[in-house]
Amino acid sequence: MTATKARISKFRPSLSLQLTIIGFIITISCVLIALLAPSLQSWGWLQNPTESLINPIHQPPSSEYWFGTTRQGYDVFSRTLFGTQAALKVVILATSLSLVIGVPLGLVSGYLGGKMDKVLLFLMDTIYTLPGLLLSVTLAFVVGKGVFNAAIALSIAYVPQYYRLVRNHTTSVKTELFIEAAQAMGAPTSRILSRYLFFNVIQSVPVLFTLNAADAILILGGLGFLGLGLPPEIPEWGHDLRLALDALPTGIWWPATFPGLAMTVMVTGLSLVGEGLSEIINPKMRRSRND
């Protein structure tokens, strides 16, 4: 019996792996909700998130309105589900833009060095020192509302993170023997960057991408709460929290509770995925935690 228990415990997943799996389940569920929300509405299973129901204003959660209704007569359940779609659109676009800009800049800057490296490093460090929410709010004032505009406002804050990560890895890898051998053989700079350096410095980028996505959801919620995120006709959690704030003192809790919970769940799922990927990519971190 003891040997059997030992074999079973040997194959039991660690706590970090369990949390990572939970994070993946939460994240995939959010993606499925975002993809299926329009179909559920067309099938009549969801109310129109932008259409006021007029009569059932501030109705508490019930069998007819699962999450209740708002002061404006909107169905909270429908707006919460469609808010997932809006959040994913902006966050994926924002993190992708920052990755596409930051990774090549970090590669070129770290490999070539010189004055360009110093100027870029100074610029990125300056942007990096600014709080993400403050920078996004400032940019949102400039570019205005909209999915793409909100993504631009968010992405600028994350470009320095990709730049610094890739640049630091590049400066350490470019002194390796295989890079020196490629240089001695006359390989062009573009080939060294794309074939030899890129795949050796990109390992930690997925971790940063996931953690930035979780952070971007919170910043997008902050922009929506301040009225600077998406247009009012697009369901968005931060905007809904702003509209529900006045009703909280009167005991009407549901218009604010469910969008807030949705935001928390999505951020938690992405954070768990990011932490799990970090331990997979950096086994030394996993060993140090287990010691």
Side-chain angles (χ1 to χ4, degrees):
M1 290 293 291
T2 304
T4 302
K5 290 182 178 179
R7 284 195 295 270
I8 293 174
S9 61
K10 183 179 179 180
F11 294 103
R12 184 179 298 167
S14 63
L15 178 60
S16 61
L17 180 58
Q18 294 176 13
L19 293 176
T20 305
I21 293 173
I22 293 173
F24 270 109
I25 292 174
I26 293 173
T27 304
I28 293 172
S29 299
C30 291
V31 173
L32 290 176
I33 289 172
L35 294 175
L36 293 176
S39 298
L40 293 176
Q41 182 191 345
S42 64
W43 296 338
W45 295 354
L46 278 181
Q47 299 284 348
N48 188 330
T50 60
E51 181 180 326
S52 177
L53 302 173
I54 301 178
N55 289 326
I57 295 176
H58 274 167
Q59 292 294 312
S62 63
S63 58
E64 185 176 4
Y65 303 105
W66 292 359
F67 290 178
T69 62
T70 68
R71 182 181 63 183
Q72 295 77 22
Y74 296 129
D75 180 53
V76 178
F77 180 69
S78 179
R79 289 188 67 85
T80 301
L81 264 60
F82 273 89
T84 307
Q85 185 183 71
L88 282 175
K89 282 182 180 179
V90 175
V91 166
I92 291 175
L93 186 57
T95 48
S96 298
L97 282 173
S98 56
L99 184 149
V100 169
I101 296 171
V103 170
L105 285 178
L107 273 172
V108 174
S109 180
Y111 180 70
L112 297 180
K115 292 183 179 179
M116 182 190 67
D117 178 53
K118 293 180 180 179
V119 172
L120 282 175
L121 188 60
F122 174 77
L123 177 63
M124 294 298 171
D125 284 347
T126 302
I127 298 175
Y128 187 73
T129 57
L130 299 174
L133 179 58
L134 178 61
L135 180 60
S136 299
V137 168
T138 304
L139 292 171
F141 271 115
V142 177
V143 300
K145 297 181 180 180
V147 172
F148 188 72
N149 291 344
I152 292 176
L154 289 172
S155 64
I156 300 301
Y158 299 124
V159 169
Q161 298 184 31
Y162 291 100
Y163 169 83
R164 288 158 59 97
L165 176 67
V166 174
R167 178 193 174 275
N168 291 340
H169 283 206
T170 301
T171 53
S172 61
V173 173
K174 73 177 184 179
T175 58
E176 297 289 341
L177 292 177
F178 68 94
I179 298 294
E180 294 180 355
Q183 292 171 340
M185 294 174 64
T189 301
S190 59
R191 186 176 182 183
I192 293 175
L193 290 174
S194 61
R195 183 171 180 179
Y196 299 105
L197 277 173
F198 178 78
F199 293 103
N200 283 281
V201 303
I202 204 71
Q203 291 91 343
S204 298
V205 169
V207 178
L208 184 59
F209 185 91
T210 309
L211 295 177
N212 279 347
D215 184 65
I217 291 174
L218 296 175
I219 295 181
L220 177 63
L223 291 178
F225 189 83
L226 296 173
L228 300 173
L230 304 182
E233 61 270 15
I234 299 178
E236 195 272 317
W237 295 328
H239 177 69
D240 288 353
L241 287 172
R242 179 191 180 198
L243 294 179
L245 191 62
D246 294 338
L248 282 176
T250 62
I252 301 174
W253 51 269
W254 52 89
T257 299
F258 293 109
L261 283 176
M263 189 184 304
T264 302
V265 168
M266 194 170 180
V267 170
T268 301
L270 287 168
S271 299
L272 290 176
V273 172
E275 291 294 331
L277 290 176
S278 180
E279 291 197 5
I280 293 171
I281 294 172
N282 302 299
K284 291 182 179 180
M285 181 183 298
R286 181 171 63 252
R287 287 197 297 268
S288 65
R289 289 184 180 181
N290 293 333
D291 291 342

